[in-house]
Amino acid sequence: MAWVNANTCGNTKPSVPLPAPDDDLSPAFRNSEPRVGFDGRGGVSNENCKERDKYLTAKYPKHTMGLIRKRLAVEDWIDEQLKLIYEVPENSLQTYDADIDLDDILNIDDDDERIKYIEDCLSSAPQSPAVVKQFIEELLEKVREL
């Protein structure tokens, strides 16, 4: 049996025994079932442990969380209004053909340019121009509050 020195600070006496390559393995190792297996993705998984998803959580100040909630509320409102404008049936997997990016709207300084951007995004809307104009006015009010 070979020895390995676990404490190398001046102590030269071996303190941890390691099995030599020609030593027989103990019966516990010989007869045990494999504990490590390969999963279908090419990785190694432990069959005894449940695979858990890991999430990163961050703590934001109250003011920042308020801004995030307000923005999410506006984005949800935009989504609901676009479903109405594009006449998407409720509980349908069908989507609308418009992509209004709230960041792009916020990055535009002039209201006239914002209106033009939104009108360009809604050019294929089946609703009347009056309905689209009302949506744009309401959206601009909500954007000013952000």
PDB file of all heavy atoms in Angstrom, residues 53-87:
ATOM      1  N   ASP A  53     -33.396  23.141 -11.118  1.00  0.00           N
ATOM      2  CA  ASP A  53     -33.124  24.367 -11.851  1.00  0.00           C
ATOM      3  C   ASP A  53     -32.595  25.386 -10.862  1.00  0.00           C
ATOM      4  O   ASP A  53     -33.032  25.456  -9.720  1.00  0.00           O
ATOM      5  CB  ASP A  53     -34.397  24.913 -12.502  1.00  0.00           C
ATOM      6  CG  ASP A  53     -34.888  24.019 -13.617  1.00  0.00           C
ATOM      7  OD1 ASP A  53     -34.042  23.369 -14.251  1.00  0.00           O
ATOM      8  OD2 ASP A  53     -36.105  23.983 -13.848  1.00  0.00           O
ATOM      9  N   LYS A  54     -31.647  26.181 -11.324  1.00  0.00           N
ATOM     10  CA  LYS A  54     -31.069  27.195 -10.461  1.00  0.00           C
ATOM     11  C   LYS A  54     -31.526  28.555 -10.949  1.00  0.00           C
ATOM     12  O   LYS A  54     -31.514  28.838 -12.139  1.00  0.00           O
ATOM     13  CB  LYS A  54     -29.551  27.098 -10.472  1.00  0.00           C
ATOM     14  CG  LYS A  54     -29.076  25.793  -9.873  1.00  0.00           C
ATOM     15  CD  LYS A  54     -27.594  25.689  -9.889  1.00  0.00           C
ATOM     16  CE  LYS A  54     -27.202  24.340  -9.307  1.00  0.00           C
ATOM     17  NZ  LYS A  54     -25.812  24.063  -9.449  1.00  0.00           N
ATOM     18  N   TYR A  55     -31.959  29.374 -10.025  1.00  0.00           N
ATOM     19  CA  TYR A  55     -32.440  30.702 -10.346  1.00  0.00           C
ATOM     20  C   TYR A  55     -31.609  31.734  -9.602  1.00  0.00           C
ATOM     21  O   TYR A  55     -31.221  31.525  -8.458  1.00  0.00           O
ATOM     22  CB  TYR A  55     -33.907  30.869  -9.940  1.00  0.00           C
ATOM     23  CG  TYR A  55     -34.828  29.925 -10.658  1.00  0.00           C
ATOM     24  CD1 TYR A  55     -35.264  28.756 -10.060  1.00  0.00           C
ATOM     25  CD2 TYR A  55     -35.247  30.208 -11.944  1.00  0.00           C
ATOM     26  CE1 TYR A  55     -36.102  27.884 -10.732  1.00  0.00           C
ATOM     27  CE2 TYR A  55     -36.089  29.349 -12.618  1.00  0.00           C
ATOM     28  CZ  TYR A  55     -36.515  28.190 -11.999  1.00  0.00           C
ATOM     29  OH  TYR A  55     -37.342  27.346 -12.662  1.00  0.00           O
ATOM     30  N   LEU A  56     -31.356  32.819 -10.277  1.00  0.00           N
ATOM     31  CA  LEU A  56     -30.661  33.927  -9.655  1.00  0.00           C
ATOM     32  C   LEU A  56     -31.710  34.943  -9.250  1.00  0.00           C
ATOM     33  O   LEU A  56     -32.514  35.381 -10.068  1.00  0.00           O
ATOM     34  CB  LEU A  56     -29.668  34.565 -10.623  1.00  0.00           C
ATOM     35  CG  LEU A  56     -28.962  35.804 -10.119  1.00  0.00           C
ATOM     36  CD1 LEU A  56     -28.051  35.444  -8.946  1.00  0.00           C
ATOM     37  CD2 LEU A  56     -28.151  36.433 -11.223  1.00  0.00           C
ATOM     38  N   THR A  57     -31.739  35.269  -7.999  1.00  0.00           N
ATOM     39  CA  THR A  57     -32.674  36.282  -7.545  1.00  0.00           C
ATOM     40  C   THR A  57     -31.892  37.509  -7.136  1.00  0.00           C
ATOM     41  O   THR A  57     -30.793  37.410  -6.596  1.00  0.00           O
ATOM     42  CB  THR A  57     -33.505  35.780  -6.344  1.00  0.00           C
ATOM     43  OG1 THR A  57     -32.622  35.369  -5.312  1.00  0.00           O
ATOM     44  CG2 THR A  57     -34.401  34.629  -6.752  1.00  0.00           C
ATOM     45  N   ALA A  58     -32.461  38.638  -7.425  1.00  0.00           N
ATOM     46  CA  ALA A  58     -31.802  39.895  -7.081  1.00  0.00           C
ATOM     47  C   ALA A  58     -32.772  40.734  -6.271  1.00  0.00           C
ATOM     48  O   ALA A  58     -33.974  40.704  -6.493  1.00  0.00           O
ATOM     49  CB  ALA A  58     -31.387  40.638  -8.341  1.00  0.00           C
ATOM     50  N   LYS A  59     -32.246  41.467  -5.358  1.00  0.00           N
ATOM     51  CA  LYS A  59     -33.066  42.330  -4.536  1.00  0.00           C
ATOM     52  C   LYS A  59     -32.876  43.756  -5.030  1.00  0.00           C
ATOM     53  O   LYS A  59     -31.761  44.257  -5.102  1.00  0.00           O
ATOM     54  CB  LYS A  59     -32.649  42.209  -3.075  1.00  0.00           C
ATOM     55  CG  LYS A  59     -33.603  42.871  -2.134  1.00  0.00           C
ATOM     56  CD  LYS A  59     -33.273  42.512  -0.713  1.00  0.00           C
ATOM     57  CE  LYS A  59     -34.329  43.079   0.201  1.00  0.00           C
ATOM     58  NZ  LYS A  59     -34.091  42.692   1.581  1.00  0.00           N
ATOM     59  N   TYR A  60     -33.977  44.381  -5.417  1.00  0.00           N
ATOM     60  CA  TYR A  60     -33.944  45.740  -5.914  1.00  0.00           C
ATOM     61  C   TYR A  60     -34.509  46.676  -4.843  1.00  0.00           C
ATOM     62  O   TYR A  60     -35.375  46.282  -4.065  1.00  0.00           O
ATOM     63  CB  TYR A  60     -34.787  45.880  -7.180  1.00  0.00           C
ATOM     64  CG  TYR A  60     -34.240  45.134  -8.365  1.00  0.00           C
ATOM     65  CD1 TYR A  60     -34.778  43.919  -8.757  1.00  0.00           C
ATOM     66  CD2 TYR A  60     -33.195  45.657  -9.104  1.00  0.00           C
ATOM     67  CE1 TYR A  60     -34.279  43.239  -9.862  1.00  0.00           C
ATOM     68  CE2 TYR A  60     -32.688  44.989 -10.213  1.00  0.00           C
ATOM     69  CZ  TYR A  60     -33.240  43.785 -10.580  1.00  0.00           C
ATOM     70  OH  TYR A  60     -32.743  43.126 -11.660  1.00  0.00           O
ATOM     71  N   PRO A  61     -34.081  47.918  -4.862  1.00  0.00           N
ATOM     72  CA  PRO A  61     -34.703  48.900  -3.963  1.00  0.00           C
ATOM     73  C   PRO A  61     -36.184  49.076  -4.316  1.00  0.00           C
ATOM     74  O   PRO A  61     -36.600  48.800  -5.448  1.00  0.00           O
ATOM     75  CB  PRO A  61     -33.922  50.188  -4.236  1.00  0.00           C
ATOM     76  CG  PRO A  61     -32.660  49.770  -4.905  1.00  0.00           C
ATOM     77  CD  PRO A  61     -32.956  48.474  -5.601  1.00  0.00           C
ATOM     78  N   LYS A  62     -36.975  49.555  -3.372  1.00  0.00           N
ATOM     79  CA  LYS A  62     -38.419  49.694  -3.579  1.00  0.00           C
ATOM     80  C   LYS A  62     -38.732  50.591  -4.772  1.00  0.00           C
ATOM     81  O   LYS A  62     -39.632  50.308  -5.552  1.00  0.00           O
ATOM     82  CB  LYS A  62     -39.082  50.264  -2.329  1.00  0.00           C
ATOM     83  CG  LYS A  62     -39.213  49.281  -1.213  1.00  0.00           C
ATOM     84  CD  LYS A  62     -39.948  49.887  -0.043  1.00  0.00           C
ATOM     85  CE  LYS A  62     -40.077  48.886   1.071  1.00  0.00           C
ATOM     86  NZ  LYS A  62     -40.810  49.442   2.211  1.00  0.00           N
ATOM     87  N   HIS A  63     -37.987  51.672  -4.907  1.00  0.00           N
ATOM     88  CA  HIS A  63     -38.230  52.603  -6.006  1.00  0.00           C
ATOM     89  C   HIS A  63     -38.007  51.918  -7.355  1.00  0.00           C
ATOM     90  O   HIS A  63     -38.819  52.052  -8.282  1.00  0.00           O
ATOM     91  CB  HIS A  63     -37.329  53.830  -5.875  1.00  0.00           C
ATOM     92  CG  HIS A  63     -37.467  54.805  -6.994  1.00  0.00           C
ATOM     93  ND1 HIS A  63     -38.595  55.579  -7.164  1.00  0.00           N
ATOM     94  CD2 HIS A  63     -36.640  55.120  -8.031  1.00  0.00           C
ATOM     95  CE1 HIS A  63     -38.454  56.329  -8.234  1.00  0.00           C
ATOM     96  NE2 HIS A  63     -37.277  56.065  -8.777  1.00  0.00           N
ATOM     97  N   THR A  64     -36.932  51.170  -7.463  1.00  0.00           N
ATOM     98  CA  THR A  64     -36.619  50.458  -8.712  1.00  0.00           C
ATOM     99  C   THR A  64     -37.679  49.403  -9.004  1.00  0.00           C
ATOM    100  O   THR A  64     -38.105  49.244 -10.149  1.00  0.00           O
ATOM    101  CB  THR A  64     -35.228  49.813  -8.628  1.00  0.00           C
ATOM    102  OG1 THR A  64     -34.274  50.817  -8.295  1.00  0.00           O
ATOM    103  CG2 THR A  64     -34.843  49.156  -9.926  1.00  0.00           C
ATOM    104  N   MET A  65     -38.117  48.676  -7.981  1.00  0.00           N
ATOM    105  CA  MET A  65     -39.157  47.665  -8.178  1.00  0.00           C
ATOM    106  C   MET A  65     -40.455  48.320  -8.628  1.00  0.00           C
ATOM    107  O   MET A  65     -41.189  47.762  -9.456  1.00  0.00           O
ATOM    108  CB  MET A  65     -39.392  46.859  -6.898  1.00  0.00           C
ATOM    109  CG  MET A  65     -38.377  45.764  -6.674  1.00  0.00           C
ATOM    110  SD  MET A  65     -38.235  44.602  -8.045  1.00  0.00           S
ATOM    111  CE  MET A  65     -39.841  43.866  -8.059  1.00  0.00           C
ATOM    112  N   GLY A  66     -40.759  49.486  -8.110  1.00  0.00           N
ATOM    113  CA  GLY A  66     -41.950  50.214  -8.539  1.00  0.00           C
ATOM    114  C   GLY A  66     -41.878  50.572 -10.008  1.00  0.00           C
ATOM    115  O   GLY A  66     -42.872  50.443 -10.747  1.00  0.00           O
ATOM    116  N   LEU A  67     -40.697  51.018 -10.453  1.00  0.00           N
ATOM    117  CA  LEU A  67     -40.523  51.355 -11.869  1.00  0.00           C
ATOM    118  C   LEU A  67     -40.649  50.116 -12.752  1.00  0.00           C
ATOM    119  O   LEU A  67     -41.243  50.167 -13.834  1.00  0.00           O
ATOM    120  CB  LEU A  67     -39.169  52.025 -12.091  1.00  0.00           C
ATOM    121  CG  LEU A  67     -38.981  53.399 -11.445  1.00  0.00           C
ATOM    122  CD1 LEU A  67     -37.541  53.875 -11.625  1.00  0.00           C
ATOM    123  CD2 LEU A  67     -39.954  54.399 -12.032  1.00  0.00           C
ATOM    124  N   ILE A  68     -40.087  49.007 -12.288  1.00  0.00           N
ATOM    125  CA  ILE A  68     -40.174  47.759 -13.053  1.00  0.00           C
ATOM    126  C   ILE A  68     -41.630  47.310 -13.163  1.00  0.00           C
ATOM    127  O   ILE A  68     -42.087  46.911 -14.242  1.00  0.00           O
ATOM    128  CB  ILE A  68     -39.293  46.664 -12.413  1.00  0.00           C
ATOM    129  CG1 ILE A  68     -37.811  47.026 -12.555  1.00  0.00           C
ATOM    130  CG2 ILE A  68     -39.589  45.299 -13.010  1.00  0.00           C
ATOM    131  CD1 ILE A  68     -36.879  46.139 -11.769  1.00  0.00           C
ATOM    132  N   ARG A  69     -42.370  47.377 -12.056  1.00  0.00           N
ATOM    133  CA  ARG A  69     -43.788  46.975 -12.082  1.00  0.00           C
ATOM    134  C   ARG A  69     -44.596  47.880 -13.004  1.00  0.00           C
ATOM    135  O   ARG A  69     -45.470  47.416 -13.740  1.00  0.00           O
ATOM    136  CB  ARG A  69     -44.364  47.009 -10.671  1.00  0.00           C
ATOM    137  CG  ARG A  69     -43.938  45.844  -9.827  1.00  0.00           C
ATOM    138  CD  ARG A  69     -44.710  45.795  -8.513  1.00  0.00           C
ATOM    139  NE  ARG A  69     -44.125  44.835  -7.644  1.00  0.00           N
ATOM    140  CZ  ARG A  69     -43.353  45.124  -6.595  1.00  0.00           C
ATOM    141  NH1 ARG A  69     -43.101  46.382  -6.296  1.00  0.00           N
ATOM    142  NH2 ARG A  69     -42.844  44.167  -5.852  1.00  0.00           N
ATOM    143  N   LYS A  70     -44.311  49.180 -12.957  1.00  0.00           N
ATOM    144  CA  LYS A  70     -45.024  50.121 -13.808  1.00  0.00           C
ATOM    145  C   LYS A  70     -44.759  49.821 -15.282  1.00  0.00           C
ATOM    146  O   LYS A  70     -45.676  49.817 -16.102  1.00  0.00           O
ATOM    147  CB  LYS A  70     -44.587  51.551 -13.474  1.00  0.00           C
ATOM    148  CG  LYS A  70     -45.417  52.621 -14.142  1.00  0.00           C
ATOM    149  CD  LYS A  70     -44.889  54.011 -13.807  1.00  0.00           C
ATOM    150  CE  LYS A  70     -45.451  54.487 -12.508  1.00  0.00           C
ATOM    151  NZ  LYS A  70     -45.168  55.915 -12.262  1.00  0.00           N
ATOM    152  N   ARG A  71     -43.515  49.545 -15.605  1.00  0.00           N
ATOM    153  CA  ARG A  71     -43.152  49.232 -16.991  1.00  0.00           C
ATOM    154  C   ARG A  71     -43.810  47.931 -17.450  1.00  0.00           C
ATOM    155  O   ARG A  71     -44.319  47.833 -18.568  1.00  0.00           O
ATOM    156  CB  ARG A  71     -41.638  49.144 -17.118  1.00  0.00           C
ATOM    157  CG  ARG A  71     -41.200  48.892 -18.535  1.00  0.00           C
ATOM    158  CD  ARG A  71     -39.722  48.663 -18.588  1.00  0.00           C
ATOM    159  NE  ARG A  71     -39.357  48.237 -19.907  1.00  0.00           N
ATOM    160  CZ  ARG A  71     -38.743  49.000 -20.796  1.00  0.00           C
ATOM    161  NH1 ARG A  71     -38.418  50.222 -20.488  1.00  0.00           N
ATOM    162  NH2 ARG A  71     -38.460  48.532 -21.972  1.00  0.00           N
ATOM    163  N   LEU A  72     -43.798  46.917 -16.589  1.00  0.00           N
ATOM    164  CA  LEU A  72     -44.452  45.649 -16.940  1.00  0.00           C
ATOM    165  C   LEU A  72     -45.952  45.838 -17.146  1.00  0.00           C
ATOM    166  O   LEU A  72     -46.542  45.210 -18.033  1.00  0.00           O
ATOM    167  CB  LEU A  72     -44.190  44.598 -15.871  1.00  0.00           C
ATOM    168  CG  LEU A  72     -42.796  43.995 -15.875  1.00  0.00           C
ATOM    169  CD1 LEU A  72     -42.614  43.078 -14.671  1.00  0.00           C
ATOM    170  CD2 LEU A  72     -42.540  43.224 -17.151  1.00  0.00           C
ATOM    171  N   ALA A  73     -46.560  46.701 -16.344  1.00  0.00           N
ATOM    172  CA  ALA A  73     -47.989  46.975 -16.506  1.00  0.00           C
ATOM    173  C   ALA A  73     -48.252  47.621 -17.865  1.00  0.00           C
ATOM    174  O   ALA A  73     -49.224  47.274 -18.551  1.00  0.00           O
ATOM    175  CB  ALA A  73     -48.491  47.872 -15.377  1.00  0.00           C
ATOM    176  N   VAL A  74     -47.391  48.541 -18.288  1.00  0.00           N
ATOM    177  CA  VAL A  74     -47.547  49.182 -19.598  1.00  0.00           C
ATOM    178  C   VAL A  74     -47.345  48.156 -20.707  1.00  0.00           C
ATOM    179  O   VAL A  74     -48.107  48.130 -21.683  1.00  0.00           O
ATOM    180  CB  VAL A  74     -46.574  50.376 -19.750  1.00  0.00           C
ATOM    181  CG1 VAL A  74     -46.568  50.906 -21.169  1.00  0.00           C
ATOM    182  CG2 VAL A  74     -46.928  51.480 -18.774  1.00  0.00           C
ATOM    183  N   GLU A  75     -46.348  47.291 -20.572  1.00  0.00           N
ATOM    184  CA  GLU A  75     -46.110  46.271 -21.597  1.00  0.00           C
ATOM    185  C   GLU A  75     -47.284  45.302 -21.701  1.00  0.00           C
ATOM    186  O   GLU A  75     -47.681  44.906 -22.801  1.00  0.00           O
ATOM    187  CB  GLU A  75     -44.808  45.532 -21.327  1.00  0.00           C
ATOM    188  CG  GLU A  75     -43.588  46.387 -21.585  1.00  0.00           C
ATOM    189  CD  GLU A  75     -42.276  45.682 -21.305  1.00  0.00           C
ATOM    190  OE1 GLU A  75     -42.298  44.530 -20.811  1.00  0.00           O
ATOM    191  OE2 GLU A  75     -41.237  46.283 -21.580  1.00  0.00           O
ATOM    192  N   ASP A  76     -47.861  44.916 -20.554  1.00  0.00           N
ATOM    193  CA  ASP A  76     -49.045  44.047 -20.572  1.00  0.00           C
ATOM    194  C   ASP A  76     -50.224  44.757 -21.223  1.00  0.00           C
ATOM    195  O   ASP A  76     -50.993  44.155 -21.980  1.00  0.00           O
ATOM    196  CB  ASP A  76     -49.401  43.594 -19.159  1.00  0.00           C
ATOM    197  CG  ASP A  76     -48.425  42.585 -18.597  1.00  0.00           C
ATOM    198  OD1 ASP A  76     -47.688  41.965 -19.386  1.00  0.00           O
ATOM    199  OD2 ASP A  76     -48.400  42.426 -17.357  1.00  0.00           O
ATOM    200  N   TRP A  77     -50.391  46.039 -20.919  1.00  0.00           N
ATOM    201  CA  TRP A  77     -51.469  46.821 -21.514  1.00  0.00           C
ATOM    202  C   TRP A  77     -51.294  46.888 -23.034  1.00  0.00           C
ATOM    203  O   TRP A  77     -52.265  46.734 -23.782  1.00  0.00           O
ATOM    204  CB  TRP A  77     -51.494  48.229 -20.909  1.00  0.00           C
ATOM    205  CG  TRP A  77     -52.551  49.094 -21.491  1.00  0.00           C
ATOM    206  CD1 TRP A  77     -53.865  49.141 -21.147  1.00  0.00           C
ATOM    207  CD2 TRP A  77     -52.372  50.035 -22.567  1.00  0.00           C
ATOM    208  NE1 TRP A  77     -54.522  50.053 -21.932  1.00  0.00           N
ATOM    209  CE2 TRP A  77     -53.618  50.616 -22.817  1.00  0.00           C
ATOM    210  CE3 TRP A  77     -51.284  50.429 -23.324  1.00  0.00           C
ATOM    211  CZ2 TRP A  77     -53.807  51.576 -23.790  1.00  0.00           C
ATOM    212  CZ3 TRP A  77     -51.464  51.390 -24.303  1.00  0.00           C
ATOM    213  CH2 TRP A  77     -52.719  51.951 -24.528  1.00  0.00           C
ATOM    214  N   ILE A  78     -50.079  47.143 -23.493  1.00  0.00           N
ATOM    215  CA  ILE A  78     -49.802  47.187 -24.932  1.00  0.00           C
ATOM    216  C   ILE A  78     -50.178  45.853 -25.576  1.00  0.00           C
ATOM    217  O   ILE A  78     -50.826  45.821 -26.626  1.00  0.00           O
ATOM    218  CB  ILE A  78     -48.312  47.512 -25.208  1.00  0.00           C
ATOM    219  CG1 ILE A  78     -48.007  48.955 -24.826  1.00  0.00           C
ATOM    220  CG2 ILE A  78     -47.961  47.265 -26.663  1.00  0.00           C
ATOM    221  CD1 ILE A  78     -46.512  49.290 -24.868  1.00  0.00           C
ATOM    222  N   ASP A  79     -49.797  44.757 -24.949  1.00  0.00           N
ATOM    223  CA  ASP A  79     -50.100  43.428 -25.494  1.00  0.00           C
ATOM    224  C   ASP A  79     -51.601  43.219 -25.610  1.00  0.00           C
ATOM    225  O   ASP A  79     -52.095  42.751 -26.647  1.00  0.00           O
ATOM    226  CB  ASP A  79     -49.465  42.353 -24.609  1.00  0.00           C
ATOM    227  CG  ASP A  79     -49.647  40.963 -25.169  1.00  0.00           C
ATOM    228  OD1 ASP A  79     -49.319  40.752 -26.353  1.00  0.00           O
ATOM    229  OD2 ASP A  79     -50.116  40.082 -24.416  1.00  0.00           O
ATOM    230  N   GLU A  80     -52.352  43.571 -24.572  1.00  0.00           N
ATOM    231  CA  GLU A  80     -53.812  43.406 -24.608  1.00  0.00           C
ATOM    232  C   GLU A  80     -54.441  44.290 -25.677  1.00  0.00           C
ATOM    233  O   GLU A  80     -55.354  43.853 -26.395  1.00  0.00           O
ATOM    234  CB  GLU A  80     -54.417  43.708 -23.226  1.00  0.00           C
ATOM    235  CG  GLU A  80     -54.071  42.683 -22.174  1.00  0.00           C
ATOM    236  CD  GLU A  80     -54.534  41.289 -22.545  1.00  0.00           C
ATOM    237  OE1 GLU A  80     -55.676  41.129 -23.054  1.00  0.00           O
ATOM    238  OE2 GLU A  80     -53.752  40.340 -22.360  1.00  0.00           O
ATOM    239  N   GLN A  81     -53.982  45.524 -25.797  1.00  0.00           N
ATOM    240  CA  GLN A  81     -54.535  46.431 -26.800  1.00  0.00           C
ATOM    241  C   GLN A  81     -54.223  45.957 -28.220  1.00  0.00           C
ATOM    242  O   GLN A  81     -55.062  46.066 -29.109  1.00  0.00           O
ATOM    243  CB  GLN A  81     -54.010  47.853 -26.581  1.00  0.00           C
ATOM    244  CG  GLN A  81     -54.480  48.491 -25.304  1.00  0.00           C
ATOM    245  CD  GLN A  81     -55.997  48.588 -25.238  1.00  0.00           C
ATOM    246  OE1 GLN A  81     -56.637  49.045 -26.174  1.00  0.00           O
ATOM    247  NE2 GLN A  81     -56.570  48.136 -24.138  1.00  0.00           N
ATOM    248  N   LEU A  82     -53.016  45.449 -28.424  1.00  0.00           N
ATOM    249  CA  LEU A  82     -52.667  44.945 -29.757  1.00  0.00           C
ATOM    250  C   LEU A  82     -53.507  43.731 -30.128  1.00  0.00           C
ATOM    251  O   LEU A  82     -53.866  43.541 -31.291  1.00  0.00           O
ATOM    252  CB  LEU A  82     -51.175  44.621 -29.838  1.00  0.00           C
ATOM    253  CG  LEU A  82     -50.247  45.830 -29.849  1.00  0.00           C
ATOM    254  CD1 LEU A  82     -48.792  45.375 -29.819  1.00  0.00           C
ATOM    255  CD2 LEU A  82     -50.506  46.716 -31.044  1.00  0.00           C
ATOM    256  N   LYS A  83     -53.830  42.908 -29.146  1.00  0.00           N
ATOM    257  CA  LYS A  83     -54.718  41.769 -29.419  1.00  0.00           C
ATOM    258  C   LYS A  83     -56.098  42.257 -29.859  1.00  0.00           C
ATOM    259  O   LYS A  83     -56.719  41.667 -30.745  1.00  0.00           O
ATOM    260  CB  LYS A  83     -54.844  40.877 -28.184  1.00  0.00           C
ATOM    261  CG  LYS A  83     -53.615  40.047 -27.921  1.00  0.00           C
ATOM    262  CD  LYS A  83     -53.784  39.211 -26.671  1.00  0.00           C
ATOM    263  CE  LYS A  83     -52.529  38.417 -26.374  1.00  0.00           C
ATOM    264  NZ  LYS A  83     -52.635  37.653 -25.130  1.00  0.00           N
ATOM    265  N   LEU A  84     -56.578  43.353 -29.240  1.00  0.00           N
ATOM    266  CA  LEU A  84     -57.868  43.911 -29.641  1.00  0.00           C
ATOM    267  C   LEU A  84     -57.779  44.552 -31.029  1.00  0.00           C
ATOM    268  O   LEU A  84     -58.676  44.383 -31.858  1.00  0.00           O
ATOM    269  CB  LEU A  84     -58.336  44.946 -28.616  1.00  0.00           C
ATOM    270  CG  LEU A  84     -58.687  44.418 -27.230  1.00  0.00           C
ATOM    271  CD1 LEU A  84     -58.977  45.559 -26.274  1.00  0.00           C
ATOM    272  CD2 LEU A  84     -59.877  43.473 -27.312  1.00  0.00           C
ATOM    273  N   ILE A  85     -56.723  45.297 -31.269  1.00  0.00           N
ATOM    274  CA  ILE A  85     -56.563  45.977 -32.556  1.00  0.00           C
ATOM    275  C   ILE A  85     -56.440  44.979 -33.691  1.00  0.00           C
ATOM    276  O   ILE A  85     -57.005  45.173 -34.770  1.00  0.00           O
ATOM    277  CB  ILE A  85     -55.341  46.931 -32.507  1.00  0.00           C
ATOM    278  CG1 ILE A  85     -55.656  48.116 -31.594  1.00  0.00           C
ATOM    279  CG2 ILE A  85     -54.944  47.400 -33.892  1.00  0.00           C
ATOM    280  CD1 ILE A  85     -54.469  49.019 -31.326  1.00  0.00           C
ATOM    281  N   TYR A  86     -55.716  43.895 -33.457  1.00  0.00           N
ATOM    282  CA  TYR A  86     -55.524  42.890 -34.498  1.00  0.00           C
ATOM    283  C   TYR A  86     -56.566  41.771 -34.446  1.00  0.00           C
ATOM    284  O   TYR A  86     -56.447  40.765 -35.143  1.00  0.00           O
ATOM    285  CB  TYR A  86     -54.108  42.308 -34.424  1.00  0.00           C
ATOM    286  CG  TYR A  86     -53.098  43.232 -35.058  1.00  0.00           C
ATOM    287  CD1 TYR A  86     -52.498  44.241 -34.324  1.00  0.00           C
ATOM    288  CD2 TYR A  86     -52.783  43.122 -36.402  1.00  0.00           C
ATOM    289  CE1 TYR A  86     -51.594  45.106 -34.908  1.00  0.00           C
ATOM    290  CE2 TYR A  86     -51.881  43.980 -36.992  1.00  0.00           C
ATOM    291  CZ  TYR A  86     -51.287  44.969 -36.245  1.00  0.00           C
ATOM    292  OH  TYR A  86     -50.397  45.823 -36.834  1.00  0.00           O
ATOM    293  N   GLU A  87     -57.582  41.959 -33.600  1.00  0.00           N
ATOM    294  CA  GLU A  87     -58.725  41.052 -33.507  1.00  0.00           C
ATOM    295  C   GLU A  87     -58.312  39.605 -33.281  1.00  0.00           C
ATOM    296  O   GLU A  87     -58.782  38.681 -33.953  1.00  0.00           O
ATOM    297  CB  GLU A  87     -59.592  41.182 -34.773  1.00  0.00           C
ATOM    298  CG  GLU A  87     -60.121  42.580 -34.984  1.00  0.00           C
ATOM    299  CD  GLU A  87     -60.797  42.785 -36.336  1.00  0.00           C
ATOM    300  OE1 GLU A  87     -60.633  41.915 -37.223  1.00  0.00           O
ATOM    301  OE2 GLU A  87     -61.459  43.805 -36.496  1.00  0.00           O
TER     302      GLU A  87
END
